[in-house]
Amino acid sequence: MDRVKKQAIAILGCGVVGGATAKLLTQDIDFLKKRTNLTFFLKYIIDTNFARAKELNLDSSLFKSNLDEVLEDPEVAVVVELVGGTTFAKNAALKILNAKKHLVTANKALLAMHGVELFAAARKNKVSISFEASCGGGIPIIRAIYDGLIANKQDALYGIVNGTCNYILTEMTLNGVSYKKALKEAQEKGLAEADPTLDVSGMDSAHKLAILSSITFGMQIDVDSIPVSGIDKLDLLDINSGKELGYIIKLIAMARLVDGKLAIRVAPSFIRKEHPLAWVTGSFNAISLYSHALGHSMYYGRGAGGSPTASAVVSDIISVFLGTAEKTFSTLPIWPDKTKPAPLLPDGEGKGRYYLRINAKDCAGVLSKIASVFAENDISISSVLQKELVEETAGEQITGAYVPVIIITHKVKEENMRKAIAKIDAFDFVKSKIVYIHIMDEHEEIF
Amino acid sequence: MDRVKKQAIAILGCGVVGGATAKLLTQDIDFLKKRTNLTFFLKYIIDTNFARAKELNLDSSLFKSNLDEVLEDPEVAVVVELVGGTTFAKNAALKILNAKKHLVTANKALLAMHGVELFAAARKNKVSISFEASCGGGIPIIRAIYDGLIANKQDALYGIVNGTCNYILTEMTLNGVSYKKALKEAQEKGLAEADPTLDVSGMDSAHKLAILSSITFGMQIDVDSIPVSGIDKLDLLDINSGKELGYIIKLIAMARLVDGKLAIRVAPSFIRKEHPLAWVTGSFNAISLYSHALGHSMYYGRGAGGSPTASAVVSDIISVFLGTAEKTFSTLPIWPDKTKPAPLLPDGEGKGRYYLRINAKDCAGVLSKIASVFAENDISISSVLQKELVEETAGEQITGAYVPVIIITHKVKEENMRKAIAKIDAFDFVKSKIVYIHIMDEHEEIF
């Protein structure tokens, strides 16, 4: 009896990315086979709703609604999980692995939350998990880390990994649009969900950061241990003030080693306008890595959307058929089930610079009182900008006797900064809470 | 008898990159083995001069001066060719391959000129050639093309692939330094050779472009068929005038498909200051790819220097021991010995926009005569800038009755542009030759 040729691909979930992947694997199949000298084909699309598949004129004989049935087909070598979420997807992923099929997935939440378990299940079944599409859409960043940069000790990773947030922040920064208006625009362009919470809260970036940093540093990263702040509370006044001082605001997913401990966070951050990450506009993504041999390198491209993400998914499928996925998965000890929990830098121990906006009463002695709190906490000031009038576009109403005082600090211990902020917030000449935003001085900075 | 364990590495050529590679493979060997779960070690450094190796405190037992002797050692799995040049290096490469050792090389000239022959020799001997370090230094751009972006039909490639040129142009653009002064600076910083011809003439970029485009498009590219112009004739006056109009000058290595034919060239080019490539400053390199599924992506990093280049060399060595180098080399049909010569777009057939500077007598009727030549050749003007005074920093002496007239055209057939330039050059009111510089409108442009 001939051995069954395992050349078939099944796609689970036919939404935006699933549809685009199916399109690539059908319309361009001759090109793909010629380009790779490999034989493979799309055999199944598993979903309960084939509306999108039908829009794409895909052959209806591909459609199946039962995953179990597909997994029984010995011809299927790889299943692409594109359903999203973490409940159904996790069960499905385990079934796929236990059926000894290679798993390709774009599901960042799934990997960030259940990576260790899934990787161990894959190993037990002698199959691989590939997930290039989970971070940075079509940007080949996962490969850059485990392959092109494998000879490097990694120092730091700074990423713009959420296209929705970057689109909104770009609109606010370049066109002076308010957060609300920019979000509405993003929704109209299909760049933001009707409920944008997962994106604008920073959680999506945290999932991606957990995955990227786990393989960058070879450590298990608990996504719940990542401090996350989003972009939904940002005020145009601060974005514009930062810009005046030479800084551009970005939602930065950051992880860096400080004396062997990992400092990690997702937060809106000001970066100098000269830094390459400052130029990443609209819905583009980019990831900067700082490596001991290579130095700074950056990977830029479309971080979302059907076709760019499908580019990454299909590259993973090809790696499975080429045999490189199995080699890297089975040999390299950088995957979450093979590594130890990251030693985290304790809360407050980090050092960094800050942008602060204090809405203070316009009267004598105010600056001197603020300055003395700073001195007590060993915080020195790099620059001060006192605004005469609040811009019309500002979301907050600060009128009359209150003026915004903007302060950029030198490097300060996070704990000290918090103490100082609490003390200043308590002054009766300060109206509303102090706004503070991280300044990302990049690699030189120990945060 | 036990099978010999092929775990040894030999480095041929211990200059800047060879030394840095040896350093990575000795000082960081424990890290590398832990990171990869592989066993390998540096056994030989082959050179006639070990000055650099000694500076690095490398064990003198590694030093050998005879390649043949090293090739007889059955333990050697891979030889890294880092001698440069194309005569000795070619012989050495063939010896290495015929001894059935995998070849890793950073030698762009060697691959650009003898790639087909070497790849065929490797295939005959069932070994692989890896060359990540040949283009873009440590940037994992070769891998991006053959792995991360493998599912894409590639439309175009635009690269800043020579750090020396980019350093000089950045100094000229941002600091208003003359070409001569910027070159001298680069030499003092070790960023340019004493004889900088290979770099500033654009030839080094052409070698890299030949390699990059051959695997991007899956075609054989004859390096001699690439039109090349360098940066050594550029005048600060043009750089500044372009800047005023919103353009930044870069030495761009470009290849793109136009109706199935390849348009290819290395030339100083103006790109809009908003484009990511415009932000690549100093000795950094970057490569933009335009792909049918992924769209625009860009890869940025240090394109030269010992340590960044060693990062790429060692990633290739690891791919050999991991087994992925052999898989990709033996399966993918994109290597130069497996592809056909590129169909080139005939000379003059390309279309593009141009920056022109005409040094014309400041008298009545001049612009009208120029404009009528343009009209005859179907060239329309996008903008005109007539300078009152030549800036002091300009290299050329244009004084008295001559003023520089700067013209930006709309898209025009190259052949027509040449005809118009020849006709205008012949006018007696025009002093010295017209200066013309390509404008890179990127992907929308058919050049």
Side-chain angles (χ1 to χ4, degrees), chain A residues 82-372:
Chain A
L82 296 169
V83 290
T86 55
T87 313
F88 176 83
K90 187 190 167 192
N91 282 332
L94 286 171
K95 272 187 189 178
I96 292 163
L97 297 169
N98 288 329
K100 303 195 189 304
K101 311 295 186 189
H102 296 280
L103 174 65
V104 171
T105 178
N107 193 331
K108 44 242 143 200
L110 178 67
L111 292 174
M113 290 163 71
H114 306 294
V116 176
E117 187 182 343
L118 293 174
F119 275 75
R123 213 168 296 283
K124 205 185 70 194
N125 289 292
K126 297 192 169 26
V127 288
S128 61
I129 302 182
S130 304
F131 51 97
E132 185 60 76
S134 66
C135 301
I139 305 170
I141 179 64
I142 305 282
R143 283 161 160 69
I145 298 167
Y146 75 65
D147 182 15
L149 273 63
I150 188 74
N152 289 269
K153 293 177 192 169
Q154 303 292 2
D155 294 331
L157 178 160
Y158 300 81
I160 295 171
V161 291
N162 184 281
T164 307
C165 291
N166 205 51
Y167 177 85
I168 292 171
L169 294 181
T170 302
E171 285 302 296
M172 292 176 80
T173 304
L174 298 184
N175 301 327
V177 172
S178 71
Y179 171 76
K180 269 191 182 167
K181 205 175 155 196
L183 171 60
K184 198 162 163 268
E185 262 180 49
Q187 285 167 325
E188 282 164 8
K189 293 194 171 190
L191 293 169
E193 308 277 346
D195 176 2
T197 314
L198 193 63
D199 292 318
V200 301
S201 68
M203 265 322 290
D204 174 76
S205 295
H207 289 144
K208 291 166 179 166
L209 179 59
I211 296 170
L212 288 171
S213 54
S214 72
I215 58 167
T216 298
F217 302 102
M219 296 170 176
Q220 279 176 19
I221 314 284
D222 177 1
V223 68
D224 295 327
S225 70
I226 302 176
V228 180
S229 42
I231 64 162
D232 45 336
K233 301 284 184 299
L234 287 174
D235 197 290
L236 204 49
L237 171 60
D238 299 305
I239 290 177
N240 288 335
S241 305
K243 203 171 150 188
E244 265 180 65
L245 295 162
Y247 295 97
I248 304 288
I249 195 122
K250 294 286 170 194
L251 183 68
I252 299 284
M254 187 227 56
R256 54 174 294 156
L257 283 176
V258 182
D259 301 328
K261 289 184 180 149
L262 199 68
I264 191 164
R265 97 180 149 228
V266 173
S269 309
F270 278 122
I271 52 178
R272 296 276 333 161
K273 68 173 176 6
E274 292 80 14
H275 193 278
L277 285 177
W279 319 319
V280 177
T281 55
S283 62
F284 273 93
N285 280 198
I287 297 102
S288 270
L289 289 169
Y290 291 82
S291 316
H292 92 301
L294 177 54
H296 182 198
S297 63
M298 193 183 83
Y299 308 84
Y300 167 96
R302 299 228 168 251
S307 170
T309 309
S311 161
V313 168
V314 178
S315 77
D316 275 351
I317 293 172
I318 290 171
S319 297
V320 169
F321 287 105
L322 190 56
T324 51
E326 208 168 340
K327 292 265 182 203
T328 52
F329 184 83
S330 65
T331 308
L332 300 181
I334 62 175
W335 315 109
D337 66 312
K338 288 283 185 183
T339 57
K340 290 185 185 142
L344 296 179
L345 192 71
D347 194 42
E349 285 289 299
K351 279 181 184 170
R353 299 204 298 132
Y354 287 84
Y355 163 103
L356 306 168
R357 171 163 57 90
I358 304 168
N359 300 317
K361 207 170 248 174
D362 192 9
C363 59
V366 164
L367 204 55
S368 110
K369 278 181 190 160
I370 293 172
S372 74

Side-chain angles (χ1 to χ4, degrees), chain B residues 263-328:
Chain B
I264 190 164
R265 93 177 154 233
V266 173
S269 309
F270 278 123
I271 52 178
R272 294 276 336 160
K273 68 173 177 6
E274 292 82 13
H275 191 278
L277 285 176
W279 319 319
V280 178
T281 56
S283 64
F284 274 92
N285 280 197
I287 296 101
S288 269
L289 289 168
Y290 292 82
S291 316
H292 93 301
L294 177 54
H296 183 197
S297 64
M298 193 180 84
Y299 308 85
Y300 167 96
R302 299 230 168 248
S307 170
T309 309
S311 161
V313 168
V314 179
S315 77
D316 275 352
I317 293 172
I318 290 171
S319 297
V320 168
F321 287 105
L322 189 57
T324 51
E326 209 168 339
K327 291 265 182 204
T328 52

Side-chain angles (χ1 to χ4, degrees), chain A residues 35, chain B residues 154-157 213-219 255-257 262:
Chain A
R35 179 88 172 145
Chain B
Q154 302 292 2
D155 293 330
L157 178 159
S213 53
S214 72
I215 59 167
T216 299
F217 301 102
M219 297 172 176
R256 54 173 294 157
L257 283 176
L262 198 69

